[in-house]
C-alpha cells in the first residue's frame, strides 16, 4: 500500500540514475581489485567470492519474500555488492562458513531487519566483518597471513607472514611501491592492490557515484595524524611514516568503497567531511594506541552510528529561515 | 593526579568500557528514553549529575566510614543504595521545580535512576577496580579520581543515549518489519553499536 504513491517534497528532478545503474557501476569499479586478488591469492579466493555473493543474494530473496516485497529487487545489485565487499575484507584463508555466515548476517540482520535498502544504519559488509571478528576470532584476526604471489622480485620463502601493520614482531620490509601494487603484501582478499582500488575509486568519482570529499578527508586525516601523533619508542620504524599508513591495511578500500556508501553516511557535504575526519581520527588512534593492528572497519561502523546525529547537526539552513538550526523546544 | 591519569580514566569510562555498550549497565533508560534526542540528552545529563554526586559521596563514605570501621562487606551495598536513592530524590525535586517540561518527558525513568545499575555500578567499581586502585591514593586524590570517573561514566552514558536516539529517530521513518518494530530493533541496534565500540579494546 505505502509503495503505490510516492510523495516527496520539491524539488522534483528526473534523473537517469537508478539504483541498479549505481550498484552495477560500483561492481565494475571493484572488478580490477577483485581480479588482482585472484592473481595474488589463487583460485581459492574465487570460492570465497562465490559463496559470499551467492549467500547474500539468496538471503536477499528470502528476506524479500518474507517481507512481501517484490522479488525483482534482488536484482538491484545491492546484495551483490554486499557479498562482494564482504569477500574482499575477509582473510584469504577464511573458511567457507565465515563468508556464508557473514553474508547472511549482513543482508538479514544489518540490512533487512532495519527495513532493507536505504534504511540500514550500518554498512552491511563491514558490520558483518566486525561480527565475524568476534564470532570466529581465530579465523579472522590473524597474526599470520597467507603469502601472496609476487608481481616482481623473489617471494619470501615462508608459509605465512605477519600483517604489515602488526604491532609486535618484525613484518616483512615492504617499500611504498610494493604496498601500492600489493606486491608481496599480505592482507585481506581485496584490500592489497591499491592501484586497482584507486582506479576503481577514481572511476566512481568521475561518474559522480561517490563524493570525492569522503576519501580525501578520510585519507588526509589519517596521513596528518599518523605523521603528527607521537609513536612509542618500541614502535616499528614504519609507525611514523604516514605514506606507509595510507598505503597499508584497508584504508583505501574503506575510504573509496565503504565510507562512501550513500545510505550509511551523512547527506550534506559538511556532514560528510565531519564523517570522514571522524573515521580518519579513529583509524589513527586505533592503529597507534589500540589493541588491534587495523581500525578501518571499526572506524566506519563507529561513524555510521554517528550519521543520524551528524545529519541532524549540520542540516543546511532552510531557505528564508533566520536560524540555521531547528527551532528550540519551548520550555 | 596528573593529566595523563585523568585522560586514561576518561578514555576508559567513555569509550573502552562504556557503561552501556561495553558493560551493559543502565539498559533500562537506554531502551526506554531514547525515542527522542531531547529526552535522551536530558536523561543523560541527569544521570551524569547523579553519577558525579554518587561517586563523590560514596567514595567519602567508603574511605571515611566503611574502610575505617571494617564494614565494607556488611554495609557497602545497602549504604550505597541509600545514598544514591537520596541523591536521586534531590535531583527529582530540583527538576520538578526548575525544569518541569523535562521532568514530564522523563516520566517514570527519573525515579528509576534510583535503581539504575549504571549509577550503582560506578560507585561499586570506584571501590574495587584494581587498575585505578583508589585504595592506594590519598583521600584527596582518590576523591578527584572517583568524581572524575563518575562524570566520565555519565558522559559515556550520555554519548550512548544520544547515538541511540539518533538511530531510533531515523528508524522511526524506516520500513522495519512489524515483528521487529520498537524494542526488538533497539536491542539489535545496541548489539551492533556495542560491536562498533569494541574497536577501542586494548586502547587503555
Amino acid at each position: 500500500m505505502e509503495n503505490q504513491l510516492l510523495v516527496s517534497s520539491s524539488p522534483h528532478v528526473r534523473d537517469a540514475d537508478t539504483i541498479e545503474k549505481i550498484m552495477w557501476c560500483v561492481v565494475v569499479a571493484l572488478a580490477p581489485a577483485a581480479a588482482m586478488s585472484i592473481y595474488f591469492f589463487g583460485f581459492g579466493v574465487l570460492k570465497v567470492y562465490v559463496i559470499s555473493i551467492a549467500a547474500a543474494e539468496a538471503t536477499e530473496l528470502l528476506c524479500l519474500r518474507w517481507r512481501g516485497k517484490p522479488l525483482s529487487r534482488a536484482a538491484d545489485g545491492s546484495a551483490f555488492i554486499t557479498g562482494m565487499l564482504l569477500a574482499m575484507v575477509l582473510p584469504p584463508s577464511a573458511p567457507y562458513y565465515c563468508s556464508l555466515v557473514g553474508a547472511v548476517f549482513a543482508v538479514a540482520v544489518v540490512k533487512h531487519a532495519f527495513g532493507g535498502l536505504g534504511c540500514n544504519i550500518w554498512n552491511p559488509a563491514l558490520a558483518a566483518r566486525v561480527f565475524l571478528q568476534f564470532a570466529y576470532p581465530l579465523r579472522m584476526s590473524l597474526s599470520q597471513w597467507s603469502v601472496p604471489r609476487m608481481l616482481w622480485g623473489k617471494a619470501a620463502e615462508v608459509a605465512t607472514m605477519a600483517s604489515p601493520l602488526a604491532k609486535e614482531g618484525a613484518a616483512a620490509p615492504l617499500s611504498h611501491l610494493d604496498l601500492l601494487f600489493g606486491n608481496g603484501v599480505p592482507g585481506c582478499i581485496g584490500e592489497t592492490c591499491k592501484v586497482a582500488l584507486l582506479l576503481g575509486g577514481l572511476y566512481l568519482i568521475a561518474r559522480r557515484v561517490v563524493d570525492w570529499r569522503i576519501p580525501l578527508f578520510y585519507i588526509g586525516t589519517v596521513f596528518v595524524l599518523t605523521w603528527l601523533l607521537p609513536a612509542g619508542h618500541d614502535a616499528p620504524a614504519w609507525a611514523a611514516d604516514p605514506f606507509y599508513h595510507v598505503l597499508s591495511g584497508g584504508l583505501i578500500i574503506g575510504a573509496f568503497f565503504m565510507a562512501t556508501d550513500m545510505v550509511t553516511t551523512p547527506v550534506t557535504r559538511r556532514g560528510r567531511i565531519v564523517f570522514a575526519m571522524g573515521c580518519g581520527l579513529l583509524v589513527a588512534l586505533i592503529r597507534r594506541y589500540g589493541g588491534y593492528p587495523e581500525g578501518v572497519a571499526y572506524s566506519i561502523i563507529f561513524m555510521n552510528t554517528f550519521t543520524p546525529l551528524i545529519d541532524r547537526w549540520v542540516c543546511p539552513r532552510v531557505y528564508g529561515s533566520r536560524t540555521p538550526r531547528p527551532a528550540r523546544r519551548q520550555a | 593526579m596528573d593529566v595523563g591519569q585523568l585522560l586514561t580514566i576518561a578514555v576508559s569510562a567513555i569509550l573502552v568500557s562504556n557503561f552501556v555498550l561495553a558493560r551493559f549497565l543502565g539498559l533500562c533508560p537506554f531502551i526506554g528514553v531514547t525515542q527522542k534526542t531531547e529526552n535522551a540528552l536530558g536523561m543523560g545529563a541527569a544521570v551524569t549529575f547523579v553519577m558525579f554526586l554518587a561517586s563523590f559521596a560514596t567514595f567519602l563514605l567508603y574511605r571515611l566510614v566503611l574502610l575505617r570501621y571494617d564494614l565494607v562487606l556488611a554495609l557497602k551495598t545497602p549504604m550505597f543504595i541509600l545514598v544514591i536513592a537520596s541523591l536521586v530524590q534531590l535531583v527529582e525535586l530540583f527538576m520538578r521545580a526548575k525544569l518541569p517540561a523535562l521532568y514530564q518527558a522523563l516520566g517514570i525513568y527519573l525515579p528509576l535512576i534510583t535503581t539504575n545499575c549504571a549509577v550503582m555500578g560506578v560507585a561499586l567499581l570506584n571501590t574495587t577496580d584494581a587498575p585505578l586502585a583508589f585504595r592506594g591514593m590519598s583521600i584527596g586524590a582518590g576523591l578527584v579520581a572517583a568524581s572524575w570517573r563518575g562524570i566520565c561514566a555519565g558522559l559515556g552514558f550520555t554519548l550512548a543515549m544520544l547515538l541511540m536516539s539518533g538511530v531510533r529517530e531515523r528508524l522511526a521513518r524506516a520500513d522495519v518489519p512489524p515483528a521487529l518494530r520498537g524494542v526488538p530493533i533497539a536491542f539489535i541496534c545496541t548489539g551492533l553499536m556495542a560491536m562498533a565500540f569494541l574497536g577501542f579494546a586494548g586502547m587503555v
Side-chain angles (χ1 to χ4, degrees):
Chain A
M1 186 68 185
E2 70 266 30
N3 293 326
Q4 289 172 1
L5 272 180
L6 188 67
V7 182
S8 64
S9 64
S10 60
H12 302 282
V13 181
R14 281 199 78 83
D15 195 283
D17 271 350
T18 59
I19 294 176
E20 289 80 10
K21 230 172 168 175
I22 289 177
M23 293 295 172
W24 294 114
C25 185
V26 177
V27 172
V28 169
L30 281 170
M36 287 310 286
S37 70
I38 294 170
Y39 171 81
F40 282 129
F41 298 106
F43 279 97
V45 299
L46 192 61
K47 206 171 63 184
V48 180
Y49 280 111
V50 170
I51 292 174
S52 174
I53 292 170
E57 284 288 1
T59 315
E60 173 88 5
L61 276 172
L62 272 178
C63 288
L64 287 173
R65 200 183 139 82
W66 281 334
R67 299 180 57 223
K69 306 286 172 193
L71 293 184
S72 57
R73 283 198 199 167
D76 66 8
S78 63
F80 192 93
I81 292 188
T82 297
M84 190 160 175
L85 280 176
L86 175 67
M88 293 179 93
V89 295
L90 291 177
S93 57
Y96 72 95
Y97 51 83
C98 281
S99 34
L100 187 71
V101 171
V104 172
F105 182 83
V107 174
V109 178
V110 189
K111 192 167 125 193
H112 275 287
F114 289 85
L117 183 64
C119 297
N120 49 312
I121 307 284
W122 290 277
N123 183 313
L126 276 185
R129 172 69 169 85
V130 173
F131 170 76
L132 291 174
Q133 183 106 46
F134 300 113
Y136 306 106
L138 287 180
R139 305 273 178 205
M140 299 299 294
S141 48
L142 304 176
S143 54
Q144 292 300 314
W145 293 79
S146 323
V147 179
R149 195 193 299 180
M150 305 292 282
L151 282 168
W152 65 80
K154 198 169 158 296
E157 288 178 353
V158 286
T160 57
M161 55 210 297
S163 155
L165 286 168
K167 290 201 162 69
E168 294 99 19
L174 293 162
S175 70
H176 291 158
L177 203 63
D178 286 336
L179 287 170
L180 186 61
F181 283 88
N183 182 39
V185 179
C188 294
I189 290 172
E191 73 176 20
T192 61
C193 188
K194 311 301 180 203
V195 170
L197 289 168
L198 284 170
L199 206 67
L202 293 177
Y203 169 69
L204 288 183
I205 289 174
R207 289 285 307 267
R208 304 207 169 201
V209 172
V210 309
D211 186 347
W212 55 270
R213 290 173 189 85
I214 293 179
L216 180 73
F217 278 90
Y218 190 171
I219 296 171
T221 308
V222 173
F223 184 89
V224 170
L225 286 180
T226 49
W227 185 36
L228 292 180
L229 285 176
H233 338 279
D234 51 348
W238 53 262
D241 176 3
F243 289 103
Y244 190 98
H245 275 283
V246 168
L247 288 173
S248 52
L251 183 57
I252 303 282
I253 189 174
F256 279 96
F257 292 95
M258 285 152 169
T260 53
D261 177 16
M262 291 175 180
V263 178
T264 57
T265 54
V267 289
T268 63
R269 288 172 195 164
R270 269 198 304 159
R272 286 175 179 173
I273 292 173
V274 172
F275 177 90
M277 290 175 78
C279 286
L281 172 70
L282 282 164
V283 169
L285 287 180
I286 292 175
R287 282 192 184 174
R288 181 108 334 146
Y289 306 112
Y292 297 105
E294 174 62 313
V296 170
Y298 292 109
S299 77
I300 297 174
I301 293 293
F302 189 79
M303 290 310 290
N304 284 163
T305 318
F306 275 83
T307 297
L309 286 184
I310 295 177
D311 269 339
R312 195 185 155 99
W313 283 331
V314 298
C315 58
R317 191 173 70 94
V318 175
Y319 183 73
S321 68
R322 252 184 304 162
T323 47
R325 280 154 203 276
R328 293 205 148 209
R329 194 170 45 83
Q330 298 298 311
Chain B
M1 293 305 290
D2 59 24
V3 180
Q5 277 171 303
L6 292 179
L7 193 68
T8 306
I9 293 177
V11 173
S12 163
I14 296 176
L15 297 174
V16 182
S17 325
N18 185 292
F19 270 66
V20 180
L21 295 171
R23 295 188 194 273
F24 288 101
L25 294 170
L27 285 180
C28 173
F30 182 68
I31 299 293
V33 208
T34 46
Q35 273 93 352
K36 287 169 85 181
T37 305
E38 284 82 8
N39 296 353
L41 192 62
M43 187 70 182
V47 169
T48 307
F49 184 62
V50 173
M51 275 183 159
F52 162 67
L53 283 182
S55 305
F56 186 92
T58 53
F59 183 79
L60 278 185
L61 182 73
Y62 180 74
R63 286 295 285 260
L64 296 179
V65 181
L66 297 177
L67 266 189
R68 180 171 299 175
Y69 298 105
D70 200 16
L71 294 170
V72 175
L73 278 179
L75 282 180
K76 185 162 84 171
T77 310
M79 290 291 273
F80 281 13
I81 290 174
L82 205 63
V83 168
I84 292 169
S86 15
L87 285 172
V88 173
Q89 286 303 309
L90 194 75
V91 175
E92 197 182 347
L93 285 176
F94 177 80
M95 265 196 186
R96 186 149 57 177
K98 299 287 177 193
L99 303 162
L102 189 60
Y103 178 80
Q104 288 288 327
L106 293 179
I108 184 71
Y109 292 99
L110 191 58
L112 278 182
I113 299 181
T114 315
T115 51
N116 185 335
C117 47
V119 178
M120 188 68 182
V122 73
L124 289 176
L125 283 170
N126 273 340
T127 64
T128 55
D129 207 355
L132 293 174
F134 297 141
R135 202 189 286 253
M137 290 179 183
S138 70
I139 290 198
L143 198 59
V144 172
S147 314
W148 177 241
R149 193 145 187 253
I151 293 172
C152 291
L155 291 179
F157 180 84
T158 311
L159 174 70
M161 293 284 284
L162 279 178
L163 290 176
M164 189 63 170
S165 66
V167 168
R168 286 182 84 176
E169 280 188 0
R170 224 184 96 165
L171 282 181
R173 296 193 297 274
D175 181 21
V176 178
L180 292 176
R181 264 173 221 160
V183 175
I185 197 71
F187 271 109
I188 295 177
C189 283
T190 312
L192 287 166
M193 281 165 74
M195 277 185 357
F197 268 72
L198 275 170
F200 295 105
M203 203 170 271
V204 172

